[in-house]
Amino acid sequence: DAVIPPIEPLRDGEVLQQGNPRDSERVKFVKIRSELLSEFWGRDMYLGANVLLPAGYDEHPERRYPTIWMQGHFPGRSAPLGYGSRWRPEFAEFWDSGEAPQVIGISIRDANPYYDTAYAVDSANVGPYGTAITTELMPYLEERFRLIPEEWARVTAGGSTGGWEALAAQIFYPEIFGGAWGWCPDPVDFNYYQIVGVYEDDNA
């Protein structure tokens, strides 16, 4: 007898999956239906992205931009790199000043029925998210936002879970990403999983 309403009332054709944040001047929100994930799940499945545009983007339609792909848990309506956060007002001032690097920041919305992130990799449990991101979402965004579709112009980054995801993206897709910053990543193997060496320790 009680339903939590969506934050934004749905417009014609919109679905709740991955949310429907509304655009601002600097931050754009995109969502696409994934053919690969829809086939895996047997129902419509979507991927989303939060796109942070640099100062001067609209004034220079001839420019194409390198991209930093931010990895991590479901970003919701948060802008990449903490832009607009009340905890980092100085970053927005720097970004908007025209002094910041002319790059585009993108966070991926890949929540699924099991968890708030698909870890940006292919999985027997939740489907081919790595392939869907790199072959469906990325080409769409590169065309729509004038991204440079070259390895050297794509880097991936994140901390904790995002650090693991950033390293995984670089390792699994070395022909797509030209570099990765994995900040304080979750364990990437089981030699020292938290405090346990799973391969050698007799008792975990």
Side-chain angles (χ1 to χ4, degrees):
D1 63 349
V3 177
I4 299 173
I7 295 173
E8 292 90 9
L10 294 182
R11 296 170 178 167
D12 289 345
E14 288 185 336
V15 298
L16 289 173
Q17 194 184 137
Q18 306 297 354
N20 296 285
R22 303 308 182 199
D23 292 349
S24 66
E25 177 185 3
R26 193 75 72 216
V27 184
K28 309 301 179 185
F29 299 95
V30 175
K31 181 165 59 176
I32 64 167
R33 180 184 179 276
S34 166
E35 296 287 344
L36 291 169
L37 297 174
S38 297
E39 181 179 357
F40 178 89
W41 282 95
R43 53 172 287 190
D44 288 342
M45 295 293 286
Y46 294 81
L47 285 169
N50 304 357
V51 181
L52 175 60
L53 301 175
Y57 178 84
D58 291 329
E59 289 79 39
H60 301 282
E62 76 287 355
R63 288 185 183 171
R64 298 187 73 87
Y65 296 86
T67 312
I68 179 168
W69 295 85
M70 299 301 301
Q71 307 280 5
H73 290 282
F74 189 70
R77 62 199 59 253
S78 299
L81 303 169
Y83 178 88
S85 165
R86 60 181 175 165
W87 296 284
R88 300 183 66 195
E90 68 284 352
F91 178 77
E93 293 174 9
F94 169 66
W95 191 265
D96 292 340
S97 70
E99 298 297 319
Q102 290 288 294
V103 300
I104 289 177
I106 296 178
S107 299
I108 299 169
R109 303 198 310 275
D110 62 348
N112 59 79
Y114 292 148
Y115 200 45
D116 69 359
T117 178
Y119 286 90
V121 295
D122 291 350
S123 163
N125 292 321
V126 296
Y129 273 88
T131 302
I133 288 168
T134 55
T135 66
E136 295 178 330
L137 183 62
M138 289 180 70
Y140 175 83
L141 294 171
E142 287 176 340
E143 180 64 27
R144 177 167 174 181
F145 293 104
R146 309 194 313 268
L147 311 181
I148 300 171
E150 302 287 345
E151 171 192 351
W152 63 266
R154 301 185 195 107
V155 295
T156 181
S160 191
T161 292
W164 185 97
E165 293 182 62
L167 296 175
Q170 181 65 68
I171 291 167
F172 293 144
Y173 305 102
E175 75 286 357
I176 292 177
F177 294 101
W181 290 301
W183 304 310
C184 57
D186 290 347
V188 297
D189 66 19
F190 297 103
N191 282 297
Y192 193 72
Y193 189 71
Q194 307 301 333
I195 61 171
V196 176
V198 174
Y199 303 116
E200 302 295 335
D201 290 358
D202 293 330
N203 189 338

